[in-house]
Amino acid sequence: EFMKKPADILAYKGELIERIEYSLDGKLATVHIPWEDIQEYSDRYNPSVLVLDEMRLVDTVEVACAIKTYPDGKVTGKLRCNLPVASQIAGYFGGGGHNYAAGFKVHEQYETIMQELIAATDKALKDYHDTQTAQHAIA
């Protein structure tokens, strides 16, 4: 029962899925949730929660991020990861959290955040894979 949602929320979920963008050869999935969406849906259902788990289930995705933009220039990012890199990525923006779930809040332009998110994710994934390769070489 608690998982049920109104038909318009399901339709909105479909819209969000259509908006998902992939970067880094499909390793990073992002969805943008603008202020208009937040105003319309947040009091009934958190938009990011509608799609973050779906994004993580894509076979190439290692990092999923829902980005919300607000009229005062604030941008928030909610990260859910399939590898333990979420806190490192969020830390780049002064945020934090756990290895698989983290978040951040900044005041920058969406386009700038996207460029920085791609760079931070690329670095975190390379660091993680380099560490794994080194550990396997020792073993």
Side-chain angles (χ1 to χ4, degrees):
E1 281 297 311
F2 75 92
M3 292 183 70
K4 287 186 176 181
K5 56 188 72 59
D8 69 318
I9 297 293
L10 183 61
Y12 175 58
K13 180 177 181 171
E15 291 174 28
L16 286 174
I17 289 171
E18 287 181 8
R19 285 191 218 161
I20 296 170
E21 295 181 10
Y22 299 92
S23 305
L24 302 173
D25 296 323
K27 294 176 186 161
L28 171 62
T30 56
V31 66
H32 178 218
I33 301 165
W35 174 242
E36 297 76 25
D37 289 13
I38 296 165
Q39 282 183 299
E40 186 171 347
Y41 297 104
S42 283
D43 63 334
R44 295 185 300 137
Y45 213 100
N46 183 339
S48 4
V49 173
L50 282 170
V51 293
L52 270 172
D53 284 333
E54 304 289 339
M55 293 163 65
R56 285 187 333 106
L57 293 175
V58 174
D59 60 0
T60 60
V61 171
E62 295 175 341
V63 176
C65 186
I67 300 172
K68 294 180 179 177
T69 53
Y70 296 83
D72 64 356
K74 179 175 73 172
V75 178
T76 63
K78 183 178 287 194
L79 294 156
R80 298 295 181 267
C81 301
N82 293 329
L83 298 174
V85 296
S87 61
Q88 180 181 347
I89 296 167
Y92 173 87
F93 297 99
H98 302 282
N99 287 335
Y100 293 93
F104 60 87
K105 176 174 39 178
V106 293
H107 282 83
E108 287 189 46
Q109 294 294 316
Y110 172 76
E111 294 77 17
T112 303
I113 294 301
M114 282 303 299
Q115 291 172 3
E116 292 176 355
L117 177 64
I118 291 168
T121 301
D122 190 40
K123 181 181 180 340
L125 291 175
K126 284 180 179 170
D127 290 351
Y128 173 79
H129 290 297
D130 288 349
T131 301
Q132 294 302 304
T133 301
Q135 287 177 352
H136 284 101
I138 293 170

